[in-house]
Amino acid sequence: MAFNLAMYPISYVTQFNPVTGGWDEQWFQADSISFAELSAMSEADRAKVYAKRNQFPLPLVNYTSQYALGCFEGMKAYPQKDGTLAIFRPDRNAKRFYDSMKGLYAPAFPQDRYLKASVEFLKRNRELGYIPEYDDAWEKDNYAGASAVYVRPFMYSEGAIGIGTSKAPYVVICATTVSSYFKGANTKAVVTDRIRATPKGTGWIKCASNYVVSMLAKKEAEDSGYMEVIFLDAVKRKYIEEGSSCNVFFRLKNGDLITPALGDTILPGITRASVIELARAEGVNVLERKISIQEVAKKCVECFVTGTAAGVTPIESITWNGKEYVFNNRKPGELGARIQAKLKGTQYGAIDDVRGWNVRV
Ligand SMILES: *Cc1c(COP(=O)(O)O)cnc(C)c1O
C-alpha cells in the first residue's frame, strides 16, 4: 500500500463566489460503502468504486487542465493509540496553501476554513471506517511501515480558455491511506541537468506546473537506476536546491547540518522546518545557506531528504558528472535516524508533542 489513488468516499468541494465574495461549500459523497465492505469486494469491483469516487463534475477546459495553473497541499494525519488521529502541523499547510493561491493571483482560501474543513473531512470519512487503526507492530521498526492518511487539498480553476488567472477557483479536499513513499532497492540520487525552478519563477509555490520538470527528471533518474534526483540552481549551476519533491540536508565532517536557504526557487517544506527545529534541539549546529555540489562532494558524511510523503529518507550517494560520492558507507546516517525517530514518534503519539504540532481529530 504505497502511494495509490484509493480515494475515500467523501470529498470536500468549495468554490469562490466572486459576486458574494464568499466560498460556497458542499460535500461530495460518492457512495456510502464502508471500508469493511470495500475490503470484502473483488479487486475489480473495488477498482470501479475507486474510479467513481474520482468523478466529480468540474470544468473540463480550464486554466488548471490546460496550463497547469493550480496548486496543492500534501498533509498527513497519523493514527494514535487512543483511536484518534493527529494531523501534523495543518496550520502550516493552511498558510502555505493560502500563500500559493495568492502567488497564483487567485482569491486565496482562508486558513481557518482550511483547518475546519480538514478536520470535518476526516471525521466524516472516519464514520465509514476509512481511517487506519494504530498498530503496535509499527513500533518495532520505528514506524517505517506504518500507515497514515494522506490528505490532498488542491485548487482547480473555473472553466476558461484564454490566458488569465483564476477568479472563481474551486478547492477540493480528498484523501487516501498511505504507507512508505520511496520504493526500490537503493537510495541513490543523481544530479540532473534539468532546471526545476528559476529566480522570479514559481519554485516557492506548491504549484502543479513545477512538477512537470520534476517528474521528467525523476523518470530519467529511475530509468538509470537511481531513486531520486537532485536539482542545482538555474544561474550558477553549482548550488544544490532540492530533490524532485523533497528538501535536502547534508551533514558535514565538522558536524554541521546544512540545508539550502529558502528563496524563490525552493519550496518551504514543513518537514524541513520541523527537522531544523528538532536538530537544533539536539544541539546540532543547523545552517540554512548555499551549499555547492563541490562542497558536498568534499565534506558531506550524511545526506537525507525530507517531505510529508518522504519523511526523513537517507540518501546513500549522489552521482555528479559520472562520479558517485558515497555517504556513511551507504548506511542510513545516525543523525537522520535520530531525527526521524523524534519526528515519527511525535506524529504517532509515542513521544510527547511538546511543541504542540499535532491537531487531534
Ligand atoms: C511538497 C514539497 C516539498 C516538501 O514539503 P513538506 O511540507 O515537507 O511536505 C519539498 N519540495 C517540493 C518541491 C515540494 O513540492
Side-chain angles (χ1 to χ4, degrees), residues 96 196 206 211 242 245-247 267 269-272 307-308:
R96 188 170 64 191
R196 190 193 83 91
K206 205 167 177 75
Y211 270 72
E242 51 181 309
S245 59
C246 36
N247 297 109
L267 201 286
I270 294 157
T271 319
R272 176 188 178 280
T308 297

Side-chain angles (χ1 to χ4, degrees), residues 152-203:
R152 169 56 66 87
F154 65 93
M155 170 215 149
Y156 191 89
S157 115
E158 71 277 23
I161 180 75
I163 296 298
T165 56
S166 177
K167 285 148 206 82
Y170 294 87
V171 169
V172 179
I173 303 177
C174 57
T176 178
T177 296
V178 289
S179 57
S180 65
Y181 173 68
F182 284 113
K183 48 186 190 310
N186 73 66
T187 57
K188 296 179 186 175
V190 62
V191 174
T192 176
D193 281 344
R194 289 190 182 267
I195 293 171
R196 190 193 83 91
T198 56
K200 303 291 171 193
T202 55

